Amino acid sequence: MRTTTRRPLAGALVLGTALLALSACGSSDDGDKDDAAAGRPLAPSSAAASPSPSGSKAPARNEAVKETKPSGPVESDDKLEPATGSFTKKEKKFLSGRVPENMDPAAVLQTGQEACDRLKLTASHDKDAAVGALITGEIPDAVAAIGQLCPDQQPLLDRARQGFTEGTKKNPSPGTYRALTADASTCTWQALGAGGRTLASGPPQGTNPEKVTVDVPAGTEKFVSQGCYAWLPA
């Protein structure tokens, strides 16, 4: 018997709907603001402050594709029990090493359940939106939740691991990428080679393309972008 309560699906619907309105947000793959300055960003500073699809700023690093756990003391596994009833084996695996001391494990489990609900609902409307949310780290505990609570969402995580956030990406693999922003007119980018030499850039300012696709040439040492939200191989 499980005693944890799950947020109504309607709450997840609001979150999922918000994700569909993808917009630009300022972030950097390695958090190095000096790199962006060295790359002479093409977009104005206001683009970097644009809200992310969830209405909040995306993190500076692509932490979504890494499983994270509390840095402080955590409850031992033998104390991971709800007030009444019991957790399933998968729920216990999810909670192991994730519950800070003196915190209700049911609350941590609910975060994981909500991550699964949000991913499923968003992906049912727009898989790119769900993958983008994983790339930018907007869904807390998503990696662990997929691993234990909703493994059917693993393809989304596998796809997200192929992408990276806007900002500065060092030594990207050459190839074709597409931006996941819903407002492609805000997306600007530069591929920089040795000595900061511009190898490619675009799209032109003032255009309103339906999507942004770029060819990152071999020899690119830094790929600098703003207003593009996140990138995936095309």
Side-chain angles (χ1 to χ4, degrees), residues 167-192:
T168 299
K169 172 69 174 178
K170 290 185 176 180
N171 301 313
S173 298
T176 303
Y177 296 83
R178 60 188 177 90
L180 297 185
T181 178
D183 185 4
S185 64
T186 68
C187 178
T188 58
W189 58 272
Q190 280 185 314
L192 304 174

Side-chain angles (χ1 to χ4, degrees), residues 6-7 9 12 112-122:
R6 299 177 61 170
R7 180 174 293 180
L9 191 58
Q113 292 170 334
E114 289 174 349
C116 288
D117 287 343
R118 181 173 175 179
L119 278 171
K120 291 177 181 179
L121 185 61
T122 305

